[in-house]
Amino acid sequence: MSTRSLLPGVASGLALVLDEPLSMWGGLDPGTGAIIDARHPQLSEVVTGRVLVMPGGRGSSSSSSVLAEAIRLGTSPAAIVLSIPDDIVLVGAIVAEELYGITCPVVVVDRALFDRLKTGMELEVTETGVFGI
């Protein structure tokens, strides 16, 4: 199983596994950390402090700014685990780290590991992997 750090860091928390990609722009309230996309299967779930596991992002380029704002406000996930790389998610996390000195690690895992991650699992994200704890 492989893990690739897009933005290295260490974080832990309960997993929130999304059934579908999430656009942060219009999909996440950075003030509360709640998923507000009315069509998303995890509507109303709160990402704050969770390890957010999702297949990928779902655009828009403004999603980066929403993620960065959530990180600044302390309402973001503790880490983000993807099954495919997503530049928009990554840019938001990098900008927040540069501007606010707060790291929200972003990693990509292979499909076999991604499929084993379930909501409610306690996960630790490191530069070398995603581990159940």
Side-chain angles (χ1 to χ4, degrees):
M1 297 192 203
S2 70
T3 300
R4 183 168 56 129
S5 281
L6 300 179
L7 181 60
V10 175
S12 61
L14 293 176
L16 174 59
V17 180
L18 302 186
D19 295 330
E20 295 179 9
L22 176 68
S23 172
M24 305 291 177
W25 179 255
L28 178 72
D29 179 347
T32 64
I35 295 173
I36 58 172
D37 179 344
R39 296 172 291 165
H40 198 279
Q42 278 76 37
L43 173 67
S44 301
E45 289 282 349
V46 175
V47 304
T48 306
R50 311 282 297 269
V51 175
L52 183 62
V53 180
M54 60 182 183
R58 198 184 71 206
S60 120
S61 58
S62 298
S63 287
S64 297
S65 62
V66 174
L67 177 59
E69 181 67 359
I71 292 170
R72 183 184 74 82
L73 294 172
T75 61
S76 70
I80 299 173
V81 176
L82 304 167
S83 67
I84 57 171
D86 187 291
D87 292 341
I88 292 172
V89 169
L90 179 59
V91 166
I94 289 172
V95 167
E97 185 175 67
E98 289 295 319
L99 291 178
Y100 313 122
I102 305 168
T103 301
C104 175
V106 179
V107 300
V108 176
V109 298
D110 65 24
R111 193 65 200 194
L113 177 55
F114 185 86
D115 289 343
R116 291 186 12 222
L117 301 176
K118 306 295 180 205
T119 294
M121 295 173 71
E122 181 80 21
L123 298 177
E124 181 176 16
V125 175
T126 72
E127 295 178 22
T128 59
V130 175
F131 306 97
I133 53 178

